[in-house]
Every structure is written in structure tokens, then in C-alpha cells.
Amino acid sequence: MPAEKRASQPRIVRTYEFPTKPEKQTLGQYLYNSQDGKILGRTSKGWAQLLFFYACFYIVLAALFTICMQGLLVTLNHQYPKWQLDESRIGTNPGVSYRPQPEDAEGINSIQYVAANKSDVAVWVNMINDFLAPYADHTLLPGGGKNQVICDFNTPPTSGNVCAFDVKNLGPCSAAAGYSYNRSAPCIFIKLNRIYGWQPEFYEDVDELPTDMPDDLASHIRSLSVADRRQVWVTCKELTNSDENQLGPIEYLPSQGFPAYYYPYMNIDGYLSPLVAVHFARPKPKTTISIECRAWAKNIVYRGGSRDRAGSMQIFLLLSQALVDEDCSNSGTVSVVALAAPSSVIPRNGSPVLRTVPMPLDDCFSCDGGALGECLTVGGTGRCLRSVWSASKKAAFQKRNVCQIG
């Protein structure tokens, strides 16, 4: 390029400006800037565009969710599950459960309480009352339980009806008896978990009874008619490794099984699962007893152990004190610890002289409140369970002797 042209062109000077900090704003200016009309840093047009975008976004999102849910609900039936029995994740092996079971059990199935503590007993009794409320009061059921009928092995329920289960005549396991918790002879209620359409296979042929079935149950089944054998049987046994029978006698009410006419479960309003009330009549006190209860049917698979248990359940029972049954009779006697001399002549620092005498059971009455503590003190061994009152002075509550088991 000629030198004349280069000299005639203006010289371009480039400058660089360093960024400066924005002017500080007060809170009031941030909320509303009167100079540029911004609200919270955005103009009215900017806020309108932002709100319009998010409104469209969430409307489309809600529409997609609604379409997916409606498509899913179309495939479902409120009366019966789509996948049943072997096709379902539940399968065909019903679980065995029990009540009462505290909500905060944290996976540990245990019943432990102090029989002499009324508030302690009331906790367990109230849990059972809540569980049995629909059984005792049919108005709590859908439709008021009007479709419940009385069934037996020869009279199954008709279409649309379900069999009723009576909980009022369970003897020591009834509400009137306090489920025998105050007598240290608690009852638990066994049930099978519901599986839609599941039909148990019964041991109708006595030649097909399993070899590991308890002898007393096998004998009981053999004594029944073929129709009465159509039950899912229940047995409970002690798992504690001990030569001593710590659990004591067991009573099953109203029978030892779940009758066939309660099955299959078809999700009909008013249906209540059948129960077996298990009464532990005389468990050993102050001892943790491990108990296993098992259901017996051809198509119920049994597995024991602490993991992957099936067809059974395990519970731990711990009672602080065993009480003599309050229903006394003349059928036997109890050992009575009696003072050999009036308390006024007992040395202050000495022990009372005790002797054991037999006494009819009908003279034995329960200690209550502070009297129980006094009985335990007089008995000396902690095994004192009853106060004996003179028949002519019952109203005056004058104690004569102290009952003791064994």
C-alpha cells in the first residue's frame, strides 16, 4: 500500500474497560426498582413469560400422569386381583399370624406382662378387644354384616353370603373372662393370612396323615367323621430346650382348626377370617418360653427357623407370676402356708413359723391390690399366689391363711 494512503487513514485506538461492580441495591430496591420497573429482578414481561412456561410444563406433566394412571386402572378389578395364586407374588402358601401383637414389636413376637398389674393386663386385653371388635359388633362391617349366616359342614354359605364367627362363647378366651390374662393363663388368636381364591386341601384320609403330625392331633382327626375332618388344623408346641414341660396344657377354642366352609376367600363384604383361640392354661412363670404354632393342610408348606419361616409362626411368652384359677372347686386341695403362732408373738427380728396344711380349693380367693404384696411377704418364697378367707368372714375381708402352689 502506498505510504500516502496509509498516512491519510485515521488511526484506530482500542481501549479496554474493566468491568465495574453493579451498584448496590437496598432490599426495597430489589423488591421494586422504580428506575427500570423490575420486581424481584425481573420485569413484568419476564415474569409473565416465566409463569406461562411453567404453567404449560405442569399441565402437560399432569396430563401424561393422568393418562398413565387411567391406563393402569383400566386393567385392574376392584373385586379380584389380576394375578392370582401361583401367578401372583403372594403365591399359594398362606402365612400364619396371631393377635395380640403390639405395633412397636420391631419384628420380635413376644407377650410379656405382670399378671398382678391391672394396667399391664389391660394393655393386652384392649389390643384383643380392638382386634375382635368387628367379630363382636357386626355393625362395624360393610353393610352392617347383614350377609353373615350361621354355617356348618353340611350348610355352607350361599352365593353373596359369608359365614359368621362367634367370639362370645370361647370360655377362658372370651372377653367376659378377660382372655385369662389376669390369671397368667393368656390366650392368643391364630389366623391364616387371606389369599384370594385359595382352597385348602384337607387330610380327609387318615392314611395320608404326615408322620411328623403330633400324636394327639392325629388321634383327634381319626376320631372325627370324614366331613368334620375338612379343617386346616393348628398345633402349638414348646421350642425351649428343656426336659421340663414349661408351657403346660394347651386348649384350642372353639375347635383345633379352621373349618372348610370359610374357604375360599372371595373378597365378599362382611367376610371375617376364622380364628383358633389358643389357651395356655399353666405356663411356667418367670421363664421365657419359645412357642411355635403351625397350620396343617396338604397344600401348606412348612418351614421352621428364624429365617424364611412358612406355614407357622413363633412367639415368646414371659409371665411374671402364675395365678391359681379363680374358679375354685371342691375337686382338689392346695397347699396352704399358715402361721403357727399369732403375729403378735413373732420376734421383731425373726421370721414367722410356717406350717403347710391342705385346704379345699373353694376356700381360696384371689389377692387384690396391696394384699398380693402382703401375701408374697408372708409366703417368703415368692410363690404365694392367693389369700384364703374364712367363709364366715368374707365380707369383712379378714385373711386367715396364704395359698401356695406346690
Side-chain angles (χ1 to χ4, degrees), residues 93-101 131-132 135 165 188-195 198 232-234 236 253 257-258 263 265 271-278 293-296 300 311-313:
N93 201 51
V96 180
S97 59
Y98 79 97
R99 296 294 186 276
Q101 188 172 11
F131 169 67
L132 296 181
Y135 291 84
F165 187 89
I188 63 173
F189 293 83
I190 306 294
K191 61 185 287 291
L192 292 181
N193 295 341
R194 300 176 184 178
I195 297 180
W198 180 75
V232 178
W233 302 102
V234 173
C236 294
L253 301 164
F258 307 112
Y263 300 97
Y265 166 66
Y271 177 87
L272 292 173
S273 299
L275 305 174
V276 172
V278 183
C293 294
R294 174 181 175 181
W296 296 84
I300 294 182
S312 62
M313 48 78 63

Side-chain angles (χ1 to χ4, degrees), residues 88-305:
S88 69
R89 294 184 62 87
I90 298 177
T92 58
N93 201 51
V96 180
S97 59
Y98 79 97
R99 296 294 186 276
Q101 188 172 11
E103 296 180 356
D104 57 349
E106 297 182 355
I108 302 177
N109 297 331
S110 64
I111 294 179
Q112 49 184 331
Y113 67 97
V114 180
N117 189 326
K118 294 182 180 180
S119 60
D120 205 4
V121 171
V123 171
W124 295 96
V125 171
N126 290 336
M127 280 192 287
I128 300 179
N129 287 337
D130 293 341
F131 169 67
L132 296 181
Y135 291 84
D137 185 2
H138 294 169
T139 60
L140 300 177
L141 297 172
K146 295 180 180 180
N147 62 332
Q148 286 197 342
V149 296
I150 303 300
C151 304
D152 56 38
F153 290 101
N154 298 319
T155 311
T158 57
S159 178
N161 292 328
V162 294
C163 294
F165 187 89
D166 186 13
V167 296
K168 297 179 181 179
N169 299 316
L170 295 179
C173 294
S174 63
Y179 313 107
S180 297
Y181 274 72
N182 60 337
R183 299 182 177 93
S184 286
C187 294
I188 63 173
F189 293 83
I190 306 294
K191 61 185 287 291
L192 292 181
N193 295 341
R194 300 176 184 178
I195 297 180
Y196 184 90
W198 180 75
Q199 179 66 52
E201 298 176 6
F202 308 102
Y203 290 110
E204 300 179 61
D205 187 351
V206 294
D207 295 331
E208 297 179 351
L209 297 179
T211 56
D212 58 340
M213 177 176 284
D215 294 338
D216 55 347
L217 176 59
S219 300
H220 176 64
I221 295 175
R222 291 188 180 96
S223 66
L224 300 175
S225 64
V226 176
D228 292 342
R229 294 173 187 168
R230 295 176 54 80
Q231 300 186 54
V232 178
W233 302 102
V234 173
T235 58
C236 294
K237 66 177 182 179
E238 178 185 345
L239 294 180
T240 308
N241 295 325
S242 175
D243 296 334
E244 179 186 3
N245 181 9
Q246 299 177 344
L247 187 56
I250 302 175
E251 184 179 5
Y252 302 91
L253 301 164
S255 67
Q256 198 172 346
F258 307 112
Y261 44 80
Y262 287 98
Y263 300 97
Y265 166 66
M266 303 303 292
N267 194 27
I268 300 176
D269 288 343
Y271 177 87
L272 292 173
S273 299
L275 305 174
V276 172
V278 183
H279 179 218
F280 303 116
R282 286 194 299 274
K284 184 178 180 180
K286 299 182 180 179
T287 303
T288 301
I289 306 174
S290 177
I291 305 170
E292 180 187 68
C293 294
R294 174 181 175 181
W296 296 84
K298 290 182 180 180
N299 56 344
I300 294 182
V301 178
Y302 165 75
R303 285 196 304 270

Side-chain angles (χ1 to χ4, degrees), residues 11 14 29 53 200 208 265 406:
R11 185 178 180 180
R14 292 183 175 87
Q29 290 175 332
F53 168 78
E208 297 179 351
Y265 166 66

